[in-house]
């Protein structure tokens, strides 16, 4: 009985550590130019792929009623708060990297291929957007 309890306890303690090395959670992204917080993005995993939506806008002087005027398709003129900016992305075998997804920049409406890599024990998330052979990486902070 003690061995069973120890095994169950060990698995229960390992699950939160494993969950931290995932892009799933609430993240704060920062402005590349000013270093100020821009938004909080909630990332979930559905049907084996990632989905991320803006939960809160943190920019100074942001209007909560703003819409994504530059977006196209089903995101055109949708409110920024609640806007789905991440679609797809699956975990690569034997790596803590989710790739094959897309991310949209609501400021200009451009969509980029994307990868997501948890770092520092899951406290940070490297979000890399690709356009052709070029890329840009942002580091997001996990919100507790």
């Amino acid at each position: 009985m003690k061995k069973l309890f120890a095994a169950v306890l060990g698995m229960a303690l390992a699950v939160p550590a494993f969950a931290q090395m995932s892009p799933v959670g609430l993240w704060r992204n920062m402005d590349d130019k000013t270093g100020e917080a821009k938004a909080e993005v909630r990332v979930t995993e559905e049907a084996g792929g990632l989905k991320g939506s803006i939960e809160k806008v943190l920019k100074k002087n942001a209007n909560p009623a703003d819409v994504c005027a530059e977006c196209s398709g089903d995101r055109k003129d949708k409110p920024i708060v609640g806007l789905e900016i991440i679609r797809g992305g699956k975990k690569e075998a034997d790596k803590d990297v989710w790739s094959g997804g897309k991310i949209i920049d609501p400021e200009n409406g451009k969509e980029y291929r994307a990868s997501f890599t948890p770092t520092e024990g899951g406290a940070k998330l490297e979000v890399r957007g690709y356009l052709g052979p070029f890329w840009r990486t942002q580091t997001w902070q996990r919100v507790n």
Side-chain angles (χ1 to χ4, degrees), residues 34-51:
T34 67
E36 294 180 15
K38 288 173 57 172
E40 289 183 355
V41 179
R42 171 82 54 192
V43 178
T44 59
E45 192 165 9
E46 297 178 8
L50 297 177
K51 176 181 174 183

Side-chain angles (χ1 to χ4, degrees), residues 69-91:
E70 301 297 322
C71 291
S72 61
D74 64 332
R75 293 181 272 207
K76 176 85 174 143
D77 295 325
K78 296 289 184 194
I80 297 292
V81 174
L83 186 68
E84 186 179 347
I85 63 167
I86 297 171
R87 291 183 175 169
K90 295 188 179 192
K91 189 173 188 311

Side-chain angles (χ1 to χ4, degrees), residues 60-108:
K60 292 179 187 174
N61 304 321
N63 181 350
D66 281 347
V67 297
C68 192
E70 301 297 322
C71 291
S72 61
D74 64 332
R75 293 181 272 207
K76 176 85 174 143
D77 295 325
K78 296 289 184 194
I80 297 292
V81 174
L83 186 68
E84 186 179 347
I85 63 167
I86 297 171
R87 291 183 175 169
K90 295 188 179 192
K91 189 173 188 311
E92 292 183 13
D94 301 324
K95 294 183 184 178
D96 286 328
V97 177
W98 280 252
S99 63
K102 296 196 176 204
I103 189 165
I104 192 167
D105 182 344
E107 291 181 357
N108 62 25

Side-chain angles (χ1 to χ4, degrees), residues 119-142:
T119 62
E120 296 185 26
K124 294 184 178 182
L125 182 65
E126 288 185 355
V127 178
R128 181 169 285 182
Y130 300 87
L131 185 60
F134 305 102
W135 72 84
R136 184 179 92 193
T137 303
Q138 288 187 333
T139 301
W140 295 4
Q141 303 285 327
R142 186 178 293 276

